[in-house]
Amino acid sequence: MKEGKHTDWEYKLMKDGQEMFNSNTNKDLSVKLASTVQSGKYSCSAHRMRSQKTRNSNIVSVTVTGKPRATLTPGSTIIPVGGSVTLACSVGSSAGWKYEWFRHDQNTDVQIRTDDQQNRVIRVSQGGIYRCRGRRGNPVYYTDRSDDVTIEITFSNKVVVKGRPSWPQIFSGETISLTCEVQEGGETTEWEYRWRGAKQTTQWTHNNYWIFRVSESSSGDYTCKSRRRDDSYSSTEWSEAFNLSASTVLSSESSSFLMTVGLISGITFIVLLLLLYYCMKSKVFNKGSADDQRVSQDEDQQQVYSSLLHGDRCVYETIPGSKSADTGQIEGDSCVNQLKVINKTQHRVDPEESSDYCNVNPNSTPGP
C-alpha cells in the first residue's frame, strides 16, 4: 500500500477469492507452487487497522505445469568419418536457461561441458548417446533431462540386401532368407548387423542373415546396416530397400504366364520325343538295309558257289568247236552252245561222270 506506513496495514493473499493466509503485517509473502493444482487467479488485499479501510490488488493468473523437460535437437544423427554435427538444447519457449551436456558411456552419464554461458548449441565429432538439461535461478532449478539422441559415425561401405530364393513372386507359407552384404572392404567377422523390416527393427547381431516364414503381413521394405564390433557408435548407412510382396493366391496374370510356360514346355517336350523317335527309326532302318544288302550278297555268293558244286552250268557259256577242213562245219556236235541246267534237286554227281568242261574232239583241227 502506498498510503501511510506499511506497518499500518494487514495483508492477505487469496487464490480464486479464497484466503490462503491469515492477516499478516509482512507484505512479502512467498508461496511455493509445487503441483498443477495450484494453478489459479491470485490477488492480495490490505486492511488498515485504524480506519478499517480495505484495498484490493489486481488479479494475476498463474498456470503451474509439471517439471519441464529439456529438448535435444541434433543437426544430424550421422557423422561422416572426420566430420562433426551440432546439438541444440532448449526448454520450451521460456528464457534464462543455461545448459548442461552429457554423453552416455558404459552405463554412466559423463558431463562433457558446463559453464555459466548459455551454451545452447555445441558441436561434437564423437559417436555416442547424448542428452542435456537446463538450469536457472538461485537456488538452482533443474529441468528433467532430455531424451537420448544417438550419434553414429558412418563408414563409406555400401550395404546391399539380397533375398533367397530370388523368385519374382513369393507366396505365404514359403521361407525366405535375406542376406546383408557389406561391400568395398572389411571382413565379415568384423561386422554386426541390424535389420529394419515392415513391422519391426531387430537388435544388433553377428548374423548377416534373417530367415523367416512369409505371411501376408510380411509385405514391405526391408533394409539393413552394419557396424564394426569394436565400435558401438559407428556404422554404415541403411541399405537400399528390398521390397517383399507376399501373395496369398496366384494372380490371373501369373496363372496365364504359368499356363503359357507350361504349354510351351509341353510342346517342346513332344517335339523332342518325335525327333528322338525318327532318329532312332532312321538308324534302325539304315541298319536293316545294310543287313539286308549283306544278306543278299551272301545269298548270291552262296548260289554261285552252290552252282559250281552242283554243276548247274558250265564255267563258260559256249566253247567253239573246231572247223572241218573239208566242210567248214564245226565239229564236236556233242557240245551244245547252252548246257541244260541239271535238276537242282539232284545230288552231286561224280566228277568223272560230269565235267565242268564240254568234251572236245581231239581229232579236230584247230581253226586259223
Side-chain angles (χ1 to χ4, degrees), residues 207-222:
N207 298 326
N208 70 327
Y209 56 84
W210 189 9
I211 302 175
F212 57 92
R213 186 177 297 275
V214 176
S215 65
E216 190 174 357
S217 61
S218 301
S219 297
D221 291 337
Y222 290 80

Side-chain angles (χ1 to χ4, degrees), residues 69-84:
R69 176 186 293 272
T71 301
L72 176 55
T73 305
S76 173
T77 59
I78 304 299
I79 303 176
V81 176
S84 62

Side-chain angles (χ1 to χ4, degrees), residues 237-263:
E237 294 183 355
W238 288 100
S239 67
E240 294 184 1
F242 175 90
N243 182 261
L244 175 62
S245 179
S247 301
T248 55
V249 294
L250 283 173
S251 64
S252 58
E253 181 179 354
S254 300
S255 300
S256 301
F257 173 77
L258 293 177
M259 290 179 63
T260 303
V261 171
L263 180 60

